[in-house]
Amino acid sequence: MQRLFLLCVLLVLACDPAAALQFQADRGAATLDEKAESSRAVRRTVQAARLAETAAIAIDGRLDEAAWQQAPVIDDLKQREPVQGAAPTERTVVRLLYDDEAIYVAARLYDSAPDSIVARLGRRDAYLESDLFGFLIDPFNDDRTGYYFALNAAGTLYDGVLMNDDWDDDSWDAVWQGKARIDEEGWVAEMRIPYSQLRFYDLEEQVWGINFKREIARKNEEDYLVYTPRNESGFVSRFYDLTGLHNITPPRQIEVVPYVTTKAEFTDAAEGDPFNDGSQITPDFGADLKYGVTNNLTLNATINPDFGQVEVDPAVVNLSDFETFFPEKRPFFIENANVFNFGSGGANNNWGFNWGSPDLFYSRRIGRAPQGSTPEADFVNADDGTNIIGAAKLTGQIGGSWNVGTVQALTAREMADLALGGDRFSAEVEPLAYYGVYRAQKEINEGRQALGFMSTIAARSFQEDRLRDEINEESYAAGLDGWTFLDKEKTWVLTGWSSLSHVRGTEARLLSLQQNSQHYFQRPDANHVSVDSSATSLTGWSGRLMLNKQRGKLHVNAALGAISPGFDVNDLGFQWKADHINGHIVVGYRWRDPGTFYRRIFLNSSFMQSYDFDGNLVDRGFWANYSMQFHNYWSIFFGGQFRPPSNNNRRTRGGPLTRDPASRVVFFGAESDSRKALVFELEGYVWKSTEAGNEGNVELEMEWRPAANVALSLSPGVSFSHVETQYVGTFDDPLATETFGQRYVFADMDQVTVSSSLRLNWTFSPALSFQLFAQPLISAGDFSEFKELARPKSYDFNVYGEGVSTFDPDAFVADPDGPNGPAAPLAVGNPDFNFASLRGTAVMRWEYRPGSTLFFVWTQSRSDAQEFGDLRFGDSFDRLIDLRPDNIFMVKFTYWLNP
């Protein structure tokens, strides 16, 4: 494993930046020449003027420098909303200047009612209903990718990347300047964007794609230099050409951000714990590096990264056999994450019904909680997460049309301290591990076709053999993806992907892997899989093919995908399930032009069906959805789904098939006008089966803006369910011949969950903000009418306490054939639960200079679980308040250096 890591490092360091730079320039010039010969050469142009060497621009939102008055005027924006193609209701004038270091943008946004300008202040990239001006560019002029920079009327900064022609991602943060100012004529947006933050070819004359956007919030108006018409697709490919950029050189980017932190932890320590007296103070340091390897390749590296300012994950109660997916929140992994998207390019819709495409790269696997068990001990002291020694990420373009990326990470060997009696010792709980991700995709024929590949590696070095039986030794995955448009107008696109996985480990580890919830090879009635106790590897495949109609009022989406029983990418990816074949077809119609009482209407309907690799029908459904926005900008949606009877190959957790009764669901929602100071959104659903039970959920999200710089949101919700076959356990009994020598025990469960999310965003200036997040949750589950599966491929159960069987509700002991029968009693235990949790994060963030930030963070969590099944809301809430919380305080100081 160490040799593999060293090889990857050498491959990164061995590249010749000078040679690569020249290759990029040659290829970039050739690409632009090819474009000049194509139909794109007739696009309209926008002119930028060079700033005189003696002139200087102060980014203050005043536009009082003479150079601005001499720059060419661009003022021919058009409405996209609400009246497509009409002249804007307010005039916009844009000017562009540039020098050897940066491009400058000035926008005079005239307004006939300056006192009605909506200027709401928020943290960077925060979605706000506010007047806004955006500058969008495609420096490679590849018609698919680019950057955007925007300012709202209060001075909030926005930036991000453009991709796949129609998509954008705000996780990228550049270091640039922007200033907004409201005056008697309207407002002004002024920007300075250094070339060091952009990637472009080293050419004597640059031609970039360009667009502008203006939002007038009170009118819900959107104006563009060039827009995507309703019922069409393609955004970046429609950009105008920006010309006049002569003799500018992409600088070699070098950014270093060292940091220091101090963390103070105050926790509820157990009495006699020798490792924890209830308080701990930990200083730390590290650094982040951003280096432009070439004009088009950027290396991001981090040493001893700290993610203490990241918001905590919400609490969940998961009673299923599926892993809960939590989104990535760590800045290092979020930035340019779109480069590693696999299988989703080309199409502007990727529908899925009872289908989840495996993620080959799920970055939260890097630095996750230690996976290994610990020997028996009275007290255990182990870190909540694995320490990342270092990580590097290389992203960009090579060869003019190859988008590439790689992530390399090394995580530390984690040891737990243990105490047993008077002895103290340590044990390995996570081995030293290397993670590698490699991604490349080439677009052909101006993006009409593309072919890409992606591969991942996870390799570990164990110190203790005990962990070899618990954690994979090595895991590999590799895949191909791409798309092709089927017609000249890019109306129909065919996309697809396929991937392979290979996992290696000890016999004990592979035995566990085959029987876990991803695979269930031990299913006694399965003819296509079986457990191999001598296996030391597991290999599988997956793939999907999808047809999508991109344009027009009528839209169509169809897909067919499969995940083989042995496919497994969970070491460095995220996988919903294996042994799954799924297909669907969606047909819909869109009324995008306003009518008598609506602004737009969407209607969709679909049919889906799923099988396992044994040919068993495991799901089938008919689904329909209707959504509408009214002229007052309120909107509603509602729909439903009907599922006929099918089979279930997961209910018994590795046991035989059962029948799934027919069910139906109705869902609904409504949203108020988002321009108002008080906005609410209501949504919910009700699921019903005459045999299997029922469940429902209602959530109300309210956001109140008492001031332009303060937003308070509250999202209370309640869910309920009555499930008649909640899994309890599997018990060996050779007398249970109908069910292959096992008794699969279930129960009715009545569960109620009450939760809420509270968020406060208080922004004092574009550089200083305070955020608070808190989530209380109380969930209770009451189990009753314990039963066992009567026979495979049925929904028949033998209820304990009926007939000759007995059930002791105090001891939770069932006897399948009564006291006089030969079957042994089953101690099923008391699965009733009442779980209460309160967790939250408060963050004060001050960007005291561009790229340099000071954080003050407070995180608190408290939770409690009891063995009773009723909600007892008042008692549970009081119990939460009385609990002693765990408090973590942190100060983090970063300083941006650009040598």
Side-chain angles (χ1 to χ4, degrees), residues 48-78:
R50 176 174 274 279
L51 187 64
E53 292 185 4
T54 57
I57 299 292
I59 305 302
D60 54 12
R62 296 187 178 277
L63 310 186
D64 50 8
E65 294 88 355
W68 282 129
Q69 309 310 314
Q70 300 166 7
V73 170
I74 307 112
D75 62 355
D76 54 344
L77 277 66
K78 293 289 187 291

Side-chain angles (χ1 to χ4, degrees), residues 186-417:
W187 66 286
V188 171
E190 190 174 20
M191 306 175 185
R192 180 185 184 272
I193 301 164
Y195 300 139
S196 64
Q197 304 302 299
L198 307 176
R199 294 290 165 265
F200 53 93
Y201 298 121
D202 188 4
L203 303 172
E204 182 177 342
E205 181 179 359
Q206 302 283 336
V207 179
W208 297 354
I210 188 170
N211 203 352
F212 305 122
K213 178 183 181 180
R214 179 181 181 179
E215 295 182 5
I216 306 175
R218 69 181 185 278
K219 302 178 182 181
N220 262 347
E221 181 177 330
E222 295 180 4
D223 304 329
Y224 288 87
L225 185 64
V226 56
Y227 59 83
T228 303
R230 297 170 186 150
N231 303 313
E232 299 286 336
S233 65
F235 180 59
V236 180
S237 56
R238 299 176 185 271
F239 283 14
Y240 286 10
D241 284 335
L242 172 61
T243 61
L245 301 175
H246 297 277
N247 301 316
I248 63 172
T249 302
R252 183 62 55 84
Q253 183 183 27
I254 302 177
E255 299 177 16
V256 181
V257 184
Y259 81 83
V260 293
T261 67
T262 299
K263 181 188 296 184
E265 301 176 74
F266 302 95
T267 58
D268 187 14
E271 184 177 351
D273 187 342
F275 306 115
N276 185 5
D277 63 1
S279 64
Q280 183 176 359
I281 297 178
T282 308
D284 207 350
F285 65 92
D288 296 331
L289 166 71
K290 182 177 289 187
Y291 172 64
V293 179
T294 71
N295 299 334
N296 314 318
L297 287 173
T298 301
L299 175 67
N300 293 78
T302 182
I303 301 172
N304 190 29
D306 174 81
F307 305 114
Q309 76 276 18
V310 173
E311 183 180 285
V312 296
D313 292 317
V316 295
V317 177
N318 185 356
L319 300 179
S320 74
D321 60 343
F322 296 109
E323 179 184 1
T324 300
F325 180 91
F326 291 109
E328 180 61 85
K329 299 179 181 180
R330 298 171 295 180
F332 175 81
F333 292 108
I334 288 177
E335 185 173 338
N336 291 330
N338 60 285
V339 173
F340 302 96
N341 290 341
F342 178 77
S344 60
N348 57 16
N349 276 314
N350 288 279
W351 292 79
F353 295 86
N354 193 26
W355 171 267
S357 291
D359 292 330
L360 298 189
F361 178 40
Y362 178 45
S363 57
R364 290 191 62 140
R365 301 298 189 202
I366 302 175
R368 64 180 143 192
Q371 304 173 79
S373 65
T374 57
E376 181 182 356
D378 297 325
F379 299 97
V380 178
N381 180 41
D383 290 339
D384 293 333
T386 303
N387 182 46
I388 302 174
I389 299 174
K393 176 167 55 179
L394 184 69
T395 57
Q397 281 194 348
I398 61 174
S401 58
W402 279 98
N403 298 303
V404 298
T406 181
V407 173
Q408 310 289 317
L410 189 67
T411 60
R413 188 185 314 280
E414 295 293 335
M415 308 295 291
D417 297 320

Side-chain angles (χ1 to χ4, degrees), residues 559-576:
L560 179 64
I563 306 173
S564 77
F567 188 77
D568 195 304
V569 293
N570 272 331
D571 246 344
L572 191 48
F574 187 94
Q575 182 178 338
W576 178 48

Side-chain angles (χ1 to χ4, degrees), residues 526-731:
N527 298 313
H528 63 301
V529 291
S530 60
V531 174
D532 182 356
S533 59
S534 63
T536 57
S537 66
L538 183 67
T539 302
W541 62 270
S542 64
R544 197 176 194 223
L545 194 64
M546 186 175 66
L547 178 68
N548 189 66
K549 185 173 183 287
Q550 307 272 94
R551 306 168 59 200
K553 294 182 178 181
L554 177 69
H555 66 99
V556 179
N557 181 277
L560 179 64
I563 306 173
S564 77
F567 188 77
D568 195 304
V569 293
N570 272 331
D571 246 344
L572 191 48
F574 187 94
Q575 182 178 338
W576 178 48
K577 63 166 66 171
D579 193 9
H580 196 62
I581 303 171
N582 170 272
H584 76 253
I585 182 167
V586 181
V587 178
Y589 198 82
R590 304 165 181 168
W591 291 265
R592 292 183 180 271
D593 296 318
T596 54
F597 62 91
Y598 63 85
R599 295 201 54 78
R600 60 179 62 93
I601 296 176
F602 294 168
L603 177 63
N604 300 297
S605 62
S606 71
F607 169 74
M608 56 76 58
Q609 196 158 281
S610 300
Y611 294 85
D612 65 14
F613 274 65
D614 209 10
N616 298 298
L617 175 68
V618 293
D619 199 9
R620 174 184 290 164
F622 303 87
W623 174 90
N625 174 63
Y626 177 89
S627 62
M628 178 170 59
Q629 186 181 64
F630 299 98
H631 284 298
N632 62 359
Y633 294 98
W634 284 56
S635 59
I636 61 170
F637 73 87
F638 58 86
Q641 184 175 36
F642 172 69
R643 278 190 161 101
S646 61
N647 299 295
N648 190 312
N649 58 5
R650 306 183 66 87
R651 178 176 284 121
T652 54
R653 306 295 205 269
L657 284 173
T658 63
R659 184 175 65 88
D660 246 354
S663 65
R664 61 197 63 85
V665 65
V666 175
F667 52 88
F668 56 89
E671 184 176 359
S672 67
D673 186 350
S674 59
R675 299 173 297 175
K676 306 299 183 182
L678 179 62
V679 180
F680 76 85
E681 182 177 354
L682 174 71
E683 61 181 43
Y685 74 90
V686 177
W687 172 86
K688 175 70 175 177
S689 171
T690 54
E691 296 182 74
N694 57 80
E695 66 179 48
N697 172 271
V698 177
E699 183 173 343
L700 175 64
E701 181 177 351
M702 298 171 289
E703 183 181 66
W704 177 45
R705 287 192 165 273
N709 64 328
V710 179
L712 178 66
S713 64
L714 183 67
S715 303
V718 59
S719 63
F720 62 88
S721 65
H722 172 73
V723 179
E724 297 188 5
T725 53
Q726 177 61 48
Y727 179 77
V728 174
T730 301
F731 301 85

